[in-house]
Amino acid sequence: MPRHVVIIGGGFGGLCAARALAGADIAITVIDKRNFHLFQPLLYQVATGLLSPAEITTPLRHILKKQRNVSVLLAEAVDFDPAGRRVILADGEVDYDYLIVAAGMVNAYHGHDGWSTFAPGLKTMEDASTIRQKIFYAFEVAERERDPALKQAWLTFTVIGSGSTGIELAGMIAEICRSSLKGEFRTIRPEDAQVLLIEAADRILPGYPPDLSVKAARALDRLGVRTLTGARVVSIDAEGLVYAHPAGRTSIPARTIVWSSGVKASPLAERLAEKTGLPTDRQGRLMVRPDLSVEGYPEIFVIGDMAHVRGKDGRPLPGLAPAATQQGRYVARLIRKRLAGQGEARPFAYFDKGTLSVIGRHQAVAAIGRWHFSGFLAWLLWLFIHLILLINFENRLIVLTRWAFQYFVFSRGGRQLCQEGILKLPISKGGVSESFKPLNRC
Amino acid sequence: MPRHVVIIGGGFGGLCAARALAGADIAITVIDKRNFHLFQPLLYQVATGLLSPAEITTPLRHILKKQRNVSVLLAEAVDFDPAGRRVILADGEVDYDYLIVAAGMVNAYHGHDGWSTFAPGLKTMEDASTIRQKIFYAFEVAERERDPALKQAWLTFTVIGSGSTGIELAGMIAEICRSSLKGEFRTIRPEDAQVLLIEAADRILPGYPPDLSVKAARALDRLGVRTLTGARVVSIDAEGLVYAHPAGRTSIPARTIVWSSGVKASPLAERLAEKTGLPTDRQGRLMVRPDLSVEGYPEIFVIGDMAHVRGKDGRPLPGLAPAATQQGRYVARLIRKRLAGQGEARPFAYFDKGTLSVIGRHQAVAAIGRWHFSGFLAWLLWLFIHLILLINFENRLIVLTRWAFQYFVFSRGGRQLCQEGILKLPISKGGVSESFKPLNRC
């Protein structure tokens, strides 16, 4: 009976671990509550209607179909039994000999969970769909609204948090307003919409070198995004938000708010910490051993965004795809060595490939080691890297086509509002005008 | 103050009417509860995961943005006040001088509305999403199921009704089983799944000439679809269906059932009939005058699938896009004439372009006047016509790419199961096995 390796999560880490175990004389089960691998770096393009879900997802079964030692299981892992070496599912359980936990992160609202209703974050495909519908629905309501103040509130788009996702979203929303929707309405001008980016730190992109923050801020300004730094959000509701700054508090009426100001480890991290006694950091990430295993349970590994692993500089590794894939490959190698009785491996070492964020047309920032650059070259690099990292050739071709059309004619096809989605949005009914009169009948 | 033409529905009929009124000195308001035009003939390809919603929809505002006499209004029309010349919306009202009602059809269950839970029909994008999720989820459950009888029930796909949509769906589902999913599972063989097509009449495609029904049946048989004619469905529930036939009753355990056995006019037809005294036919379609107007209300027109209009042969026109577009253009011309004081127009006359249904790879049937043909040529014609009818160039290119990949490598990208969708499906919990053991660990 071959050994059974169970992998929880089909993201970058889990998928890489599974692939790196190809051909080994083991049975692998990849458990995910969704049936697809999501190319998260382009999720913001789905959230803004440029790409479709099918273009950045690939069914896990399809990716792994030729790897005969892998089974994919659509199921939700909810708990662990480390002593009995079992994963508890919502509707069953699975035994393991080795366990790799790679369940990623979820949105975190720092004790204000009620904010999620009004300011969805962008971690899942469902999130992307919600944000996309909120954005395009806001213009529809604004077109019908006759109260100028409410019209303006519907035309105010606010992104909270200016990490990579935050600036990418703000840049895209600005492009929707200035280009994609131009000329399509009769009582509003989408290009007059306000796009705000709110950051609690004293500069945007706080994880990047300061010179790139300056360049990014300048690029966003040219796109028409208003950036507010040193602004800490203190409340969010259906009408808008309030932020605190050194001079006091300011309230912004805004009906479309996106949260990209915090993530925390998947709730599974807490379950595992409780069962194994493993400590967690402030974001709920598990403090694993240098070989990514769990203290006292050498057969359990935690990889990807869920793991707190320190880099050469002593700081925890960023939640990026390269960290997850390197960890997946490392753990796969380590399991192969153990199965071959070759003793312990060297600690995991992260090879930093740098970071890249796109801001808009011809604009991106890149920090690769000591090399910082921005502008057109960084933008081309971003396009190229993201295109080749897409997992299948068909999607690569289709994404390239979509990008080309957006580049040349500002098209944006993913704008369907589904009925059910609209009904679920928290819309203040009073705001919609009773009787519709188009203003500029020609 | 220019005259106000209100059009309810942005389908083929409504959109064509709006476009044919371009440049006229009137104000046009197109009301739709969705913000997009749907290319309905390809909806079954979204329901089977081949195309994405964005690829067969175009925002109504985008199509009409350069036509300055048109406003698009995202709203739900719920009733009429013909005396006051007003359309009642769910949240307001709109006055009109001319009204064109083109709200289409909805699924009809002939008095068994409860069946819709277990056997969704395919009229809307929401329907397509439900069917897509049911199909791909069934394979996931079958992979986990250990009771062979339940496994088989999850692997039995039944399409009720063998009109164009029914045979297109059955053919696509067969291709999913035989080609797209081949080799992706470990405890089931998707190619062993059963695809059934159930028809109450004595032949499939009853609306086509009999010789084409025979050819279609043969083509479906080659694809692995089992066709049951003379079989009237008498009950549907979560476990499967029962059908009556001359020899008695047969029960089929089947967890995935699609309804394509009946449509009726939108509920708006009933509202309009009640308020104007207009009679309706058995399908709820409105019996309009030869100029498509409502008796007693010459300013109200009904076009498209909602209108009961007789062709040269005395039979009601089929619910096809060409009928709707011709009617839209006819009514637009008539309104222009009336505005110019040019008196009444000739009655509407339908120019029959024929019908075409695709069955599978290299297989389609076409009836164009007296000319019937099938096979590879009909298939090429189908591909060509549907591609050029797609409203925008970008989608044409992307759909062509998708088709090419499906043709050569059987790919099918739209297979994501969204969490929310899964939770809403009526799954019999007892059927899912408690503990998952992949069978063929290698």
Side-chain angles (χ1 to χ4, degrees):
Chain A
M1 188 72 177
R3 291 303 181 109
H4 189 202
V5 178
V6 169
I7 301 174
I8 299 178
F12 288 108
L15 192 55
C16 254
R19 286 171 131 184
L21 286 166
D25 181 25
I26 48 173
I28 303 164
T29 300
V30 176
I31 300 176
D32 198 308
K33 61 183 174 181
R34 293 183 180 79
N35 68 336
F36 53 83
H37 171 73
L38 170 64
F39 189 68
Q40 192 112 29
L42 292 181
L43 191 58
Y44 79 98
Q45 297 203 351
V46 175
T48 50
L50 181 55
L51 299 181
S52 289
E55 290 155 18
I56 62 162
T57 57
T58 314
L60 286 168
R61 297 192 178 287
H62 189 74
I63 303 172
L64 295 165
K65 81 173 181 182
K66 288 188 180 152
Q67 193 175 329
R68 301 304 299 180
N69 63 355
V70 175
S71 296
V72 174
L73 176 60
L74 178 73
E76 189 174 1
V78 292
D79 208 345
F80 303 92
D81 171 11
R85 298 197 175 177
R86 288 186 309 169
V87 174
I88 315 298
L89 308 176
D91 55 355
E93 49 190 50
V94 179
D95 296 335
Y96 62 78
D97 297 306
Y98 288 98
L99 174 65
I100 303 175
V101 186
M105 304 283 251
V106 297
N107 295 307
Y109 289 85
H110 317 309
H112 299 281
D113 287 350
W115 292 0
S116 65
T117 315
F118 313 109
L122 181 59
K123 284 301 285 180
T124 66
M125 191 53 87
E126 288 84 354
D127 289 342
S129 166
T130 303
I131 292 172
R132 186 177 66 79
Q133 300 223 28
K134 282 193 80 131
I135 292 172
F136 293 107
Y137 187 60
F139 290 98
E140 298 292 336
V141 182
E143 169 85 342
R144 289 188 62 178
E145 182 56 65
R146 286 194 290 183
D147 176 331
L150 286 175
K151 232 180 169 71
Q152 192 54 47
W154 282 108
L155 291 176
T156 302
F157 297 87
T158 308
V159 177
I160 304 172
S162 71
S164 217
T165 305
I167 64 161
E168 285 164 353
L169 273 171
M172 270 285 176
I173 295 173
E175 193 159 299
I176 290 172
C177 302
R178 313 286 173 250
S179 312
S180 311
L181 299 185
K182 203 172 171 177
E184 296 196 5
F185 293 82
R186 299 297 180 249
T187 81
I188 58 166
R189 284 166 38 95
E191 54 271 47
D192 295 341
Q194 215 184 150
V195 185
L196 298 175
L197 180 64
I198 296 186
E199 170 61 52
D202 62 351
R203 60 184 174 96
I204 64 163
L205 276 179
Y208 274 67
D211 58 317
L212 290 180
S213 295
V214 173
K215 286 189 169 140
R218 217 177 288 148
L220 284 169
D221 184 58
R222 274 196 302 270
L223 283 172
V225 176
R226 219 179 110 209
T227 302
L228 300 169
T229 52
R232 197 171 41 82
V233 171
V234 291
S235 89
I236 306 179
D237 61 23
E239 314 283 309
L241 61 85
V242 176
Y243 67 90
H245 49 96
R249 291 189 168 203
T250 301
S251 154
I252 299 178
R255 297 297 165 96
T256 312
I257 304 173
V258 183
W259 181 260
S260 92
S261 188
V263 283
K264 63 181 180 196
S266 148
L268 278 178
E270 212 180 307
R271 312 302 319 136
L272 191 61
E274 197 184 299
K275 294 295 167 69
T276 60
L278 196 64
T280 55
D281 69 7
R282 277 201 312 167
Q283 288 186 281
R285 289 180 296 192
L286 294 158
M287 314 284 279
V288 289
R289 300 182 59 220
D291 68 353
L292 309 180
S293 72
V294 171
E295 185 71 49
Y297 298 91
E299 73 282 5
I300 305 181
F301 300 90
V302 182
I303 63 172
D305 294 2
M306 268 179 95
H308 178 111
V309 180
R310 283 171 196 281
K312 284 173 202 152
D313 57 0
R315 288 164 55 197
L317 298 183
L320 295 174
T325 56
Q326 290 175 31
Q327 290 169 9
R329 261 182 243 119
Y330 170 86
V331 166
R333 224 166 21 232
L334 199 152
I335 290 175
R336 280 180 191 272
K337 280 191 178 170
R338 290 225 201 130
L339 289 172
Q342 289 176 4
E344 295 311 293
R346 279 188 291 181
F348 170 74
Y350 175 55
F351 174 69
D352 186 356
K353 293 180 175 173
T355 45
L356 248 175
S357 297
V358 73
I359 300 164
R361 198 162 282 254
H362 305 171
Q363 271 299 337
V365 288
I368 299 174
R370 285 189 203 155
W371 194 36
H372 305 166
F373 61 114
S374 64
F376 189 69
L377 191 68
W379 181 72
L380 276 186
L381 187 69
W382 184 94
L383 286 180
F384 178 74
I385 287 179
H386 285 78
L387 211 51
I388 57 166
L389 285 179
L390 271 176
I391 239 161
N392 79 57
F393 180 64
E394 177 179 2
N395 278 344
R396 230 172 273 164
L397 206 65
I398 288 187
V399 167
L400 185 63
T401 311
R402 290 260 180 238
W403 286 354
F405 274 88
Q406 192 227 2
Y407 185 82
F408 291 110
V409 300
F410 301 99
S411 77
R412 196 170 287 272
R415 282 162 47 188
Q416 328 76 1
L417 295 172
C418 85
Q419 279 277 302
E420 290 176 43
I422 291 172
L423 297 178
K424 270 188 274 166
L425 293 177
I427 303 301
S428 60
K429 263 305 196 193
V432 176
S433 59
E434 287 303 293
S435 174
F436 177 77
K437 303 268 180 216
L439 287 191
N440 51 349
R441 297 184 182 176
C442 69
Chain B
M1 187 73 177
R3 291 302 180 110
H4 188 202
V5 177
V6 169
I7 300 174
I8 299 178
F12 287 108
L15 192 56
C16 253
R19 288 171 130 183
L21 287 166
D25 180 26
I26 49 172
I28 303 163
T29 300
V30 175
I31 300 176
D32 198 307
K33 60 183 175 181
R34 293 184 181 78
N35 68 336
F36 53 83
H37 170 74
L38 170 63
F39 189 69
Q40 193 111 30
L42 291 181
L43 192 57
Y44 79 98
Q45 298 202 351
V46 175
T48 49
L50 182 56
L51 298 180
S52 288
E55 290 155 18
I56 62 162
T57 57
T58 314
L60 286 167
R61 299 192 177 287
H62 189 75
I63 302 172
L64 296 166
K65 82 174 180 181
K66 287 188 180 151
Q67 193 176 329
R68 300 306 297 179
N69 62 356
V70 175
S71 296
V72 174
L73 176 60
L74 179 73
E76 188 174 1
V78 292
D79 208 345
F80 303 92
D81 171 10
R85 298 199 174 176
R86 289 185 309 169
V87 174
I88 315 298
L89 308 177
D91 56 354
E93 50 189 51
V94 179
D95 296 334
Y96 62 78
D97 296 306
Y98 288 98
L99 174 64
I100 302 175
V101 186
M105 304 284 250
V106 297
N107 296 306
Y109 289 86
H110 317 311
H112 300 281
D113 288 350
W115 293 359
S116 65
T117 315
F118 313 109
L122 181 60
K123 284 301 285 179
T124 65
M125 191 52 88
E126 289 83 355
D127 289 341
S129 165
T130 303
I131 292 172
R132 186 178 65 80
Q133 299 223 27
K134 282 193 80 130
I135 293 172
F136 293 107
Y137 188 60
F139 291 97
E140 298 293 336
V141 183
E143 169 85 343
R144 288 188 63 178
E145 182 56 65
R146 285 193 290 181
D147 176 330
L150 286 175
K151 232 180 168 74
Q152 191 53 48
W154 282 107
L155 290 176
T156 302
F157 298 87
T158 308
V159 178
I160 302 172
S162 70
S164 217
T165 304
I167 65 160
E168 284 163 354
L169 274 171
M172 270 284 175
I173 295 173
E175 193 159 298
I176 289 172
C177 302
R178 315 286 173 249
S179 311
S180 310
L181 298 186
K182 203 172 170 176
E184 295 195 7
F185 292 82
R186 300 297 180 250
T187 81
I188 59 167
R189 284 165 39 96
E191 54 271 46
D192 294 340
Q194 214 183 152
V195 185
L196 297 175
L197 180 63
I198 296 186
E199 171 60 53
D202 61 351
R203 60 184 175 96
I204 64 163
L205 277 178
Y208 274 68
D211 58 318
L212 290 180
S213 295
V214 173
K215 285 191 171 140
R218 217 176 289 148
L220 284 169
D221 184 58
R222 273 195 301 272
L223 282 172
V225 176
R226 220 180 109 208
T227 303
L228 300 169
T229 51
R232 197 170 42 82
V233 171
V234 291
S235 89
I236 306 179
D237 62 22
E239 313 283 309
L241 62 83
V242 177
Y243 67 90
H245 49 95
R249 291 191 167 201
T250 302
S251 155
I252 299 178
R255 297 299 165 96
T256 312
I257 304 174
V258 183
W259 180 258
S260 91
S261 188
V263 285
K264 62 182 181 196
S266 147
L268 279 178
E270 211 181 308
R271 313 302 319 136
L272 191 60
E274 197 185 299
K275 294 296 167 69
T276 60
L278 196 64
T280 55
D281 68 7
R282 276 202 313 167
Q283 289 186 281
R285 289 180 297 192
L286 294 157
M287 314 284 280
V288 288
R289 300 182 57 220
D291 67 353
L292 309 180
S293 71
V294 171
E295 185 70 50
Y297 297 91
E299 73 282 5
I300 306 181
F301 300 90
V302 183
I303 62 172
D305 293 1
M306 267 179 95
H308 178 111
V309 180
R310 283 172 195 280
K312 285 172 203 154
D313 57 0
R315 288 165 55 196
L317 298 183
L320 294 174
T325 56
Q326 291 175 31
Q327 291 169 8
R329 262 183 243 118
Y330 170 85
V331 166
R333 230 173 8 239
L334 199 153
I335 290 175
R336 280 179 191 270
K337 280 191 178 170
R338 291 224 202 131
L339 289 171
Q342 290 177 2
E344 295 312 291
R346 277 189 290 182
F348 170 74
Y350 175 55
F351 174 68
D352 186 356
K353 294 181 175 172
T355 45
L356 247 175
S357 297
V358 73
I359 300 163
R361 198 162 282 254
H362 305 171
Q363 271 300 337
V365 288
I368 298 174
R370 287 190 201 157
W371 194 37
H372 304 165
F373 61 115
S374 64
F376 188 68
L377 191 69
W379 181 73
L380 276 186
L381 186 70
W382 183 94
L383 285 181
F384 178 73
I385 287 179
H386 284 79
L387 210 51
I388 57 167
L389 286 179
L390 270 176
I391 240 161
N392 80 56
F393 180 63
E394 178 179 1
N395 278 344
R396 231 172 272 164
L397 206 64
I398 287 186
V399 167
L400 185 64
T401 311
R402 291 260 180 238
W403 286 353
F405 273 88
Q406 193 227 1
Y407 185 82
F408 291 111
V409 299
F410 301 98
S411 77
R412 196 171 287 272
R415 283 162 47 188
Q416 327 76 2
L417 295 172
C418 85
Q419 279 277 301
E420 291 177 42
I422 293 172
L423 297 178
K424 269 188 273 165
L425 294 176
I427 302 301
S428 59
K429 261 305 195 192
V432 176
S433 58
E434 287 302 293
S435 173
F436 177 76
K437 305 267 179 216
L439 286 191
N440 52 348
R441 296 185 182 177
C442 68

